[in-house]
Amino acid sequence: MSCAPSAHIPHPPVRKAVFPIAGLGTRFLPATKASPKEMLPVVDKPLIQYAVEEAYASGIRQMIFVTGRTKRPVEDHFDTAYELETELERTGKHELLALARSIAPDDMSCVYVRQPRALGLGHAVLCAQELIGNEPFAVLLADDFMQGSPPVLAQLLGEYQRSGQSVIAVMQVAREQVSSYGIVAGAADHAGVIQIERMVEKPEPELAPSNTAIVGRYVLTPSVLHELRDIAQQALSNPAHTGEIQLTDGIARLAATQGVRALPFAGTRHDCGSKLGMLQATVDQALQHGELKAAFKQWLIAKAASL
Ligand code: UTP
């Protein structure tokens, strides 16, 4: 079948975003033993809030969280904090009150579904299938800290509206890092958007078809759920299967049937699932923070000079 983008067919709107947050966060132990990785702050805001704000700024209002054990603080974060709000109101701290209330705007809905065991990102998305229904949806990995203007997800949605196909965010990585990512290859159009022809999960550098890596923002058509169900059924009925259900396997099947586009987004990305990435994101964010940037920059320059 042809995978050419269908520019003139009206494409169903993307109204829902899925946030898979049921992973174990082992790279951040001991911090993540009893607390969610997604609640780790970059300066003063938890990772998950940055991702939810990105989805909201991109026009999405229904947020679906795939949670697991130890993830209750995420639910509390997006709920009303009655005692806190009453106290801030009583003491006249109106700015802080507005800040606390802005975390969950009135027109945003949050729903939660559990992934009983961390069987992989594809399995996590599958846990949300009833809530997603038969419509296109976004997936955001909160530990991929991504900033762009317009927001990275909005860039993907623009490409989805143009092509009607699933769209995933990609970036160039160093050759020696390809084995940490899903890698794509295919023909790029005049705007640099790649029509995916090959996808390989975590290849050895010498076997990688490119160094174009998939990072944590996706806009997917609902057919991916069908592919994931099929993959999960095969895997879970095979007693020898011990691996995870990968989202990229579902997307690879979609690339072969409906077509998938890979968008080299404009913006920055830090891997906040790793300690180094978290430190880099923190420095970047502190250098943009209204209250902190001047003092922090001064300290950073002095620190760098002393190294
Ligand atoms: P990662 O592999 O980066 O996260 O998954 P992790 O498993 O939490 O962390 P480490 O590797 O043990 O340190 C990417 C995203 O997918 C979610 C994670 O929560 C993270 O946001 N995920 C992963 C799930 O929701 N369920 C899974 O079974 C696996």
Coordinates of all heavy atoms in Angstrom, one line a residue, residues 19-29 32 37-38 66-68 71 115 117-125 140-144 202 218 244-245 271 273-274, ligand 1:
F19 N 0.4 9.7 29.3 CA 1.7 9.9 30.0 C 2.0 8.5 30.7 O 1.5 8.2 31.8 CB 1.6 11.0 31.1 CG 1.2 12.3 30.5 CD1 -0.1 12.7 30.3 CD2 2.2 13.2 30.1 CE1 -0.5 13.9 29.8 CE2 1.8 14.4 29.5 CZ 0.5 14.8 29.4
P20 N 2.9 7.7 30.1 CA 3.3 6.5 30.8 C 4.2 6.8 31.9 O 5.3 7.3 31.6 CB 3.9 5.6 29.6 CG 3.7 6.4 28.4 CD 3.5 7.8 28.8
I21 N 3.8 6.5 33.1 CA 4.7 6.8 34.3 C 4.8 5.6 35.2 O 5.0 5.8 36.4 CB 4.2 8.1 35.0 CG1 2.8 7.9 35.5 CG2 4.3 9.3 34.1 CD1 2.3 9.0 36.5
A22 N 4.7 4.4 34.6 CA 4.7 3.2 35.5 C 6.0 2.6 35.6 O 6.2 1.5 36.2 CB 3.6 2.3 35.0
G23 N 7.1 3.2 35.0 CA 8.4 2.5 35.0 C 9.0 2.5 36.4 O 8.5 3.2 37.3
L24 N 10.0 1.8 36.5 CA 10.6 1.6 37.9 C 11.6 2.7 38.2 O 11.9 2.9 39.4 CB 11.3 0.2 38.0 CG 10.3 -1.0 37.7 CD1 11.1 -2.3 37.8 CD2 9.2 -1.0 38.8
G25 N 12.1 3.4 37.2 CA 13.1 4.5 37.5 C 14.4 4.0 38.2 O 14.9 4.7 39.1
T26 N 14.9 2.9 37.8 CA 16.0 2.3 38.5 C 17.3 3.1 38.4 O 18.1 3.0 39.3 CB 16.3 0.8 38.0 OG1 16.5 0.9 36.6 CG2 15.2 -0.1 38.4
R27 N 17.4 3.9 37.3 CA 18.6 4.7 37.2 C 18.6 5.8 38.2 O 19.7 6.5 38.4 CB 18.7 5.3 35.8 CG 19.1 4.2 34.8 CD 19.0 4.8 33.4 NE 17.6 5.0 33.0 CZ 17.2 5.7 31.9 NH1 18.1 6.3 31.2 NH2 15.9 5.9 31.7
F28 N 17.5 6.1 38.9 CA 17.5 7.2 39.9 C 17.4 6.7 41.3 O 17.0 7.4 42.2 CB 16.4 8.2 39.6 CG 16.9 9.4 39.0 CD1 16.8 9.7 37.6 CD2 17.7 10.3 39.7 CE1 17.3 10.8 37.0 CE2 18.2 11.5 39.2 CZ 18.0 11.7 37.8
L29 N 17.6 5.4 41.5 CA 17.6 4.9 42.9 C 18.8 5.5 43.7 O 19.8 5.8 43.1 CB 17.8 3.3 42.9 CG 16.5 2.6 42.6 CD1 16.8 1.1 42.3 CD2 15.5 2.7 43.7
T32 N 14.1 7.0 43.8 CA 12.9 6.6 43.2 C 12.4 5.3 43.9 O 11.5 4.6 43.4 CB 13.0 6.3 41.7 OG1 14.2 5.5 41.6 CG2 13.2 7.6 41.0
K37 N 9.7 8.9 39.8 CA 10.8 9.7 39.1 C 10.2 10.9 38.5 O 10.8 12.0 38.4 CB 11.3 8.7 38.0 CG 12.2 9.4 37.0 CD 12.9 8.4 36.0 CE 11.9 7.9 35.0 NZ 12.6 7.0 34.0
E38 N 8.9 10.8 38.0 CA 8.3 12.0 37.3 C 8.0 13.1 38.3 O 7.7 14.2 37.8 CB 7.0 11.5 36.7 CG 7.2 10.4 35.6 CD 7.5 9.0 36.1 OE1 7.3 8.8 37.4 OE2 7.9 8.2 35.3
V66 N -0.7 6.6 32.9 CA -0.6 5.2 33.1 C 0.4 5.1 34.3 O 1.6 5.3 34.2 CB -0.1 4.4 31.9 CG1 0.0 3.0 32.2 CG2 -0.9 4.7 30.7
T67 N -0.2 4.7 35.5 CA 0.6 4.7 36.7 C 0.9 3.3 37.2 O 0.4 2.3 36.7 CB -0.2 5.5 37.8 OG1 -1.3 4.7 38.2 CG2 -0.7 6.8 37.3
G68 N 1.6 3.3 38.3 CA 2.0 2.1 39.0 C 2.1 2.3 40.4 O 1.8 3.4 40.9
K71 N 3.2 5.8 42.6 CA 2.9 7.0 41.7 C 1.8 7.9 42.2 O 1.4 8.8 41.6 CB 2.6 6.5 40.3 CG 3.7 5.6 39.7 CD 5.0 6.3 39.4 CE 6.1 5.4 38.9 NZ 7.2 6.0 38.3
Q115 N -0.8 0.3 35.3 CA -0.1 -0.8 34.7 C 0.4 -1.7 35.8 O 1.3 -1.4 36.6 CB 1.1 -0.3 33.9 CG 1.8 -1.4 33.1 CD 3.1 -0.9 32.4 OE1 3.7 0.0 32.9 NE2 3.5 -1.6 31.4
R117 N 2.2 -4.4 36.0 CA 3.6 -4.8 36.0 C 4.3 -4.0 35.0 O 3.7 -3.7 33.9 CB 3.8 -6.3 35.8 CG 3.5 -7.1 37.0 CD 4.0 -8.5 36.8 NE 3.3 -9.2 35.8 CZ 3.9 -10.2 35.0 NH1 5.1 -10.5 35.2 NH2 3.2 -10.8 34.1
A118 N 5.5 -3.6 35.2 CA 6.3 -2.8 34.2 C 6.7 -3.7 33.0 O 7.8 -4.2 33.0 CB 7.4 -2.1 34.8
L119 N 5.8 -3.9 32.1 CA 6.1 -4.9 31.0 C 6.5 -4.1 29.7 O 6.4 -4.7 28.6 CB 4.8 -5.7 30.7 CG 4.5 -6.7 31.8 CD1 3.2 -7.5 31.4 CD2 5.6 -7.7 32.0
G120 N 6.9 -2.9 29.9 CA 7.4 -2.1 28.7 C 6.5 -1.0 28.3 O 5.3 -0.9 28.7
L121 N 7.0 0.0 27.6 CA 6.3 1.2 27.2 C 5.1 0.8 26.3 O 4.0 1.4 26.5 CB 7.3 2.1 26.5 CG 6.8 3.4 26.0 CD1 6.1 4.2 27.1 CD2 7.9 4.2 25.3
G122 N 5.2 -0.1 25.4 CA 4.1 -0.5 24.5 C 3.0 -1.1 25.4 O 1.8 -0.7 25.2
H123 N 3.3 -1.9 26.4 CA 2.3 -2.4 27.3 C 1.6 -1.3 28.1 O 0.4 -1.4 28.3 CB 3.0 -3.5 28.2 CG 2.0 -4.2 29.1 ND1 1.9 -3.8 30.4 CD2 1.2 -5.2 28.9 CE1 0.9 -4.5 31.0 NE2 0.5 -5.4 30.1
A124 N 2.4 -0.3 28.5 CA 1.8 0.8 29.3 C 0.8 1.5 28.4 O -0.3 1.8 28.9 CB 2.9 1.8 29.7
V125 N 1.1 1.8 27.1 CA 0.2 2.5 26.3 C -1.1 1.6 26.1 O -2.2 2.1 26.1 CB 0.8 2.8 24.9 CG1 -0.2 3.3 23.9 CG2 1.9 3.9 25.1
L140 N 3.5 11.3 25.7 CA 4.7 12.1 26.1 C 5.4 11.4 27.2 O 4.8 10.9 28.2 CB 4.2 13.5 26.7 CG 3.5 14.4 25.7 CD1 2.0 14.3 25.7 CD2 3.9 15.9 26.0
L141 N 6.7 11.2 27.1 CA 7.5 10.6 28.2 C 8.1 11.8 29.0 O 8.9 12.6 28.5 CB 8.6 9.8 27.6 CG 8.2 8.7 26.6 CD1 9.4 7.8 26.2 CD2 7.1 7.9 27.2
A142 N 7.6 11.9 30.2 CA 8.0 13.1 31.0 C 9.5 13.1 31.3 O 10.0 14.2 31.6 CB 7.2 13.0 32.3
D143 N 10.1 12.0 31.3 CA 11.6 12.0 31.6 C 12.4 12.5 30.4 O 13.6 12.7 30.6 CB 12.1 10.7 32.2 CG 11.8 9.5 31.4 OD1 11.2 9.7 30.3 OD2 12.2 8.4 31.7
D144 N 11.8 12.6 29.3 CA 12.4 13.3 28.2 C 12.0 14.8 28.3 O 10.9 15.1 28.0 CB 12.0 12.7 26.8 CG 13.1 11.9 26.2 OD1 14.2 11.9 26.6 OD2 12.7 11.1 25.3
K202 N 17.6 0.0 19.5 CA 18.9 -0.1 20.1 C 19.9 -0.9 19.3 O 20.4 -1.9 19.8 CB 18.7 -0.7 21.5 CG 17.7 0.1 22.4 CD 17.8 -0.3 23.9 CE 17.1 0.7 24.7 NZ 15.7 0.5 25.0
Y218 N 5.2 11.5 20.7 CA 4.6 10.8 19.6 C 3.2 11.3 19.4 O 2.5 11.6 20.4 CB 4.5 9.3 20.0 CG 5.7 8.6 20.6 CD1 6.1 8.9 21.9 CD2 6.5 7.7 19.8 CE1 7.2 8.3 22.5 CE2 7.6 7.1 20.4 CZ 8.0 7.4 21.7 OH 9.1 6.8 22.2
E244 N 10.3 -6.9 27.2 CA 9.2 -6.0 27.3 C 8.4 -5.8 26.0 O 8.9 -6.2 24.9 CB 9.8 -4.6 27.7 CG 10.6 -4.6 29.0 CD 11.0 -3.2 29.4 OE1 11.2 -2.4 28.6 OE2 11.0 -3.0 30.6
I245 N 7.2 -5.3 26.1 CA 6.4 -5.0 24.9 C 6.8 -3.5 24.5 O 6.5 -2.6 25.2 CB 4.9 -5.0 25.2 CG1 4.5 -6.3 26.0 CG2 4.1 -4.8 23.9 CD1 4.6 -7.5 25.2
D271 N 17.8 14.1 28.6 CA 17.3 12.8 29.1 C 17.3 12.8 30.6 O 18.3 12.5 31.3 CB 18.2 11.6 28.6 CG 17.9 10.3 29.2 OD1 16.8 10.2 29.8 OD2 18.7 9.4 29.0
G273 N 15.9 10.9 32.5 CA 15.9 9.6 33.1 C 17.3 9.2 33.6 O 17.5 8.2 34.3
S274 N 18.3 10.0 33.2 CA 19.7 9.8 33.6 C 20.1 11.0 34.5 O 19.6 12.1 34.3 CB 20.6 9.7 32.3 OG 20.8 11.0 31.8
Ligands
UTP1 P1 12.4 4.2 30.9 O1 12.9 2.9 30.6 O2 13.1 5.4 30.5 O3 12.0 4.5 32.4 O4 10.9 4.3 30.2 P2 12.1 3.6 33.7 O5 11.9 2.1 33.4 O6 11.1 4.2 34.6 O7 13.5 3.9 34.2 P3 14.9 3.1 34.4 O8 15.4 2.7 33.0 O9 14.5 1.9 35.2 O10 15.7 4.0 35.2 C1 10.4 5.5 29.5 C2 9.1 5.9 30.1 O11 8.1 4.8 30.0 C3 7.5 4.5 31.2 C4 8.5 5.1 32.3 O12 7.7 5.5 33.4 C5 9.1 6.3 31.5 O13 8.3 7.4 31.7 N1 7.3 3.1 31.3 C6 8.3 2.2 31.0 C7 6.1 2.6 31.8 O14 5.1 3.4 32.0 N2 5.9 1.3 31.9 C8 6.9 0.4 31.6 O15 6.6 -0.8 31.7 C9 8.1 0.9 31.2

